[in-house]
């Protein structure tokens, strides 16, 4: 008896789409990466410690109330069609003060801050930023964010708290941000909050972005001549005996890249630059083809682009405070793309916030260069990634063991075939990131067309290989500078994220390689088993033919013997007759 065993393995794969994880009342934390959705009645503080999380608005499109998001290890927060209405004193979104954070805008997102005392139409002060930028904040995506605040904002809308600090604020390519500040206060729309030593890093506005910051006083968008904050830049403090005016709010450089669209309306403060009181900002650079509409709307106000009014304190005349702006450089100024209007007759549209003899020494600006020279510069992060809901892949492995027993007896061959089926199931949840690259401003899907490698004999036995974009623009380091020292320090967070991105993709490629190696080994075993089976079948056929040959040989010999015997009998009869 001959026994031959061979094993084959079939992979049977099926998928089903995932649903967002529902955030219901009582949920206070998110600890795992994934896509989540607010329940329509959700309220409370949500602490996120997972690095990558997408939050979607309620399925019915409703607004959630009194919701506050706190970063505790979060790196990438995706907001998609989220509408939040708050009336509390906390930041609606507070990023980690030591982290480099990215806010991805998908769809249409809104934040509304009521800001009145309960039962009264009187705005109350708020010391926290609506979105506290934390260490560094990049706002990216192809969606929009609209923020309306009726608080008396001592903190910024996007930036630092009152007397707080934050890092750089980078508004990426293609985003839309609209900010309406009613009732105002000393905090910036985008930049630093008010108060002593409040600060933020550089503020950059990316190409093809649409950024609007308008400061008004209700009702009807009227202007209050005493509201001192800036639309984009550094907040301010007014001098009082208990305030150190030598420690004013600060912001770094303000950079507006080519093809950006910026509207910035301050009241008594500048549209872009400094608040009206003690305030300080770095250099302001606006590149060619950027469209800028800047205003200082108060008749006692500042420059539209530049420094604030500075001067004397209204209550303590012996105290002076300075509003200081660095150099201002505007390329292709004669094109008319940059429009600046200062309502005060003492203010320059671009430059000093106050030129009167009593105040000019306290409203300081560096070199103002209105250049006809063209300088095109595309800047800002072009990141249009989105976390997909993903899918659950259920993979069943069917192991087929065939045992062939061949038994040979005289004139008979018996084959017994025994087939045993064993199965096991693997379930894998996939959350993939769909990345788009901005090249000549065309969004080209990189992950929607995977490399499909067929790995077996069945139609559905294949591996989809997704290769991420690894160009410098996708890594976010295309325009990274390491000189001077300040730029190098600022670049560390960006480089860390680029390294993490590259390592994640290297890990993914390694997983693909491992999977293909395993598949190759399985196919080799399958081929060997198939060869052995074929050999066994061929051996069984040869035995059958040998039996048939032997049978025919015996029959032939028997026939010859009978014929010989018959001939012998005839000979015997003839011999008797003789």
């Amino acid at each position: 008896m001959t026994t031959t065993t061979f094993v084959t393995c079939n992979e049977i794969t099926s998928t089903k789409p995932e649903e967002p994880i529902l955030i219901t009342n009582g949920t206070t934390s998110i600890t795992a990466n994934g896509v989540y959705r607010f329940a329509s009645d959700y309220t409370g503080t949500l602490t996120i410690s997972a690095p990558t999380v997408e939050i979607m608005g309620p399925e019915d499109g409703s607004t959630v109330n009194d919701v506050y998001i706190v970063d505790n290890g979060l790196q990438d927060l995706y907001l998609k069609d989220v509408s939040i209405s708050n009336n509390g004193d906390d930041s609606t979104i507070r990023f980690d003060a030591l982290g480099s954070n990215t806010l991805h805008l998908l769809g249409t997102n809104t934040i509304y801050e009521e800001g009145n005392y309960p039962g009264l139409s009187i705005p109350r002060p708020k010391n926290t930023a609506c979105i506290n930028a934390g260490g560094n904040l990049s706002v990216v995506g192809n969606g929009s964010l609209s923020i309306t605040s009726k608080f008396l904002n001592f903190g910024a809308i996007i930036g630092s708290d009152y007397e707080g600090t934050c890092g750089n604020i980078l508004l990426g390519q293609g985003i839309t941000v609209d900010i309406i500040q009613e009732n105002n206060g000393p905090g910036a729309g985008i930049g630093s909050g008010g108060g002593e030593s409040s600060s933020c890093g550089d503020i950059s506005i990316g190409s093809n972005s649409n950024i609007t910051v308008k400061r008004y006083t209700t009702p009807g968008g009227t202007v209050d001549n005493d509201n001192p904050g800036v639309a984009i830049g550094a907040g301010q403090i007014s001098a009082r005996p208990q305030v150190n005016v030598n420690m004013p709010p600060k912001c770094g450089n303000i950079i507006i890249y080519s093809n950006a669209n910026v509207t910035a309306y301050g009241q008594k403060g500048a549209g872009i630059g400094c608040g009206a009181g003690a305030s300080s900002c770095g250099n302001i650079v606006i590149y060619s083809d950027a469209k800028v509409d800047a205003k200082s709307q108060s008749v006692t106000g500042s420059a539209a682009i530049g420094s604030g009014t500075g001067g004397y304190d209204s209550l303590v005349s012996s105290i002076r405070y300075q509003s200081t702006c660095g150099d201002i450089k505007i390329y292709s100024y004669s094109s008319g793309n940059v429009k600046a209007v200062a309502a005060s007759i003492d203010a320059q549209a671009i430059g000093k916030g106050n030129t009167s003899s009593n105040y000019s020494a306290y409203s300081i600006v560096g070199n103002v260069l209105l250049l006809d020279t063209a300088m095109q510069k595309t800047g800002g992060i072009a990141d249009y990634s989105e976390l997909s809901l993903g899918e659950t892949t259920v993979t069943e492995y069917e192991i087929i063991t065939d045992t062939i027993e061949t038994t040979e007896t005289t004139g008979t061959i018996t084959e017994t075939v025994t087939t045993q089926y064993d199965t096991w199931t693997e379930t894998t949840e996939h959350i993939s990131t769909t990345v788009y690259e901005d090249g000549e401003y065309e969004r080209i899907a990189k992950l929607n067309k995977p490399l499909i490698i067929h790995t077996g004999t069945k139609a559905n036995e294949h591996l989809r290989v997704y290769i991420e974009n690894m160009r410098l623009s996708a890594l976010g380091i295309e325009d990274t500078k390491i000189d001077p020292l300040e730029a190098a320090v600022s670049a560390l967070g960006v480089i860390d994220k680029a390294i993490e991105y590259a390592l994640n993709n290297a890990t993914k490629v390694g997983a693909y390689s491992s999977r293909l190696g395993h598949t190759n080994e399985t196919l080799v075993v399958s081929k060997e088993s198939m060869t052995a089976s074929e050999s066994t079948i061929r051996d069984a056929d040869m035995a059958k033919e040998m039996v048939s040959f032997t049978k025919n040989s015996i029959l032939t010999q028997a026939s010859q013997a009978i014929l010989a015997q018959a001939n012998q009998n005839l000979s015997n009869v003839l011999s008797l007759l003789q």
Side-chain angles (χ1 to χ4, degrees), residues 371-487:
L371 306 173
D372 287 334
T373 305
M375 178 63 75
Q376 284 278 349
K377 187 165 185 179
T378 300
I381 300 172
D383 183 345
Y384 307 107
S385 62
E386 177 177 359
L387 289 185
S388 73
L389 287 175
E391 58 187 20
T392 297
T393 300
V394 179
T395 304
E396 291 187 343
Y397 296 93
E398 182 181 59
I399 304 300
I400 304 174
T401 304
D402 288 324
T403 303
I404 299 177
E405 295 182 352
T406 303
T407 305
E408 180 180 345
T409 60
T410 302
T412 304
I413 292 180
T414 302
E415 285 188 2
T416 302
V417 180
T418 303
T419 302
Q420 177 180 344
Y421 295 89
D422 296 313
T423 62
W424 76 85
T425 301
E426 291 183 354
T427 301
T428 306
E429 293 184 358
H430 298 281
I431 296 177
S432 61
T433 302
T434 302
V435 175
Y436 298 86
E437 180 188 46
D438 189 73
E440 297 301 324
Y441 308 119
E442 292 181 7
R443 294 169 188 169
I444 303 172
K446 289 295 181 186
L447 294 186
N448 286 339
K449 296 181 180 179
L451 173 64
I452 300 176
I453 302 175
H454 206 78
T455 58
T457 60
K458 306 297 183 183
N460 63 346
E461 291 183 272
H462 55 255
L463 177 64
R464 293 176 178 267
V465 178
Y466 295 91
I467 305 298
E468 300 278 4
N469 177 14
M470 298 300 293
R471 295 184 179 90
L472 292 179
S473 57
L475 292 171
I477 58 175
E478 185 175 25
D479 296 322
T480 301
K481 293 180 173 58
I482 58 172
D483 186 38
L485 176 62
E486 292 77 7

Side-chain angles (χ1 to χ4, degrees), residues 159-160 164-169 190-192 198-203 233 250-252:
S160 64
T165 62
C166 72
N168 299 328
I169 301 172
I190 299 175
S192 67
S198 179
S199 68
C200 76
D202 294 341
I203 301 171
K250 297 179 180 180
C251 78

Side-chain angles (χ1 to χ4, degrees), residues 186 195 226 228 236-241 243-245 249 276-278 313-314 319 321:
D226 290 326
Q236 73 100 48
I237 52 175
S238 295
R240 293 290 184 268
V243 174
N244 186 349
V245 296
D313 183 76
S314 58
I319 296 178
Y321 49 91

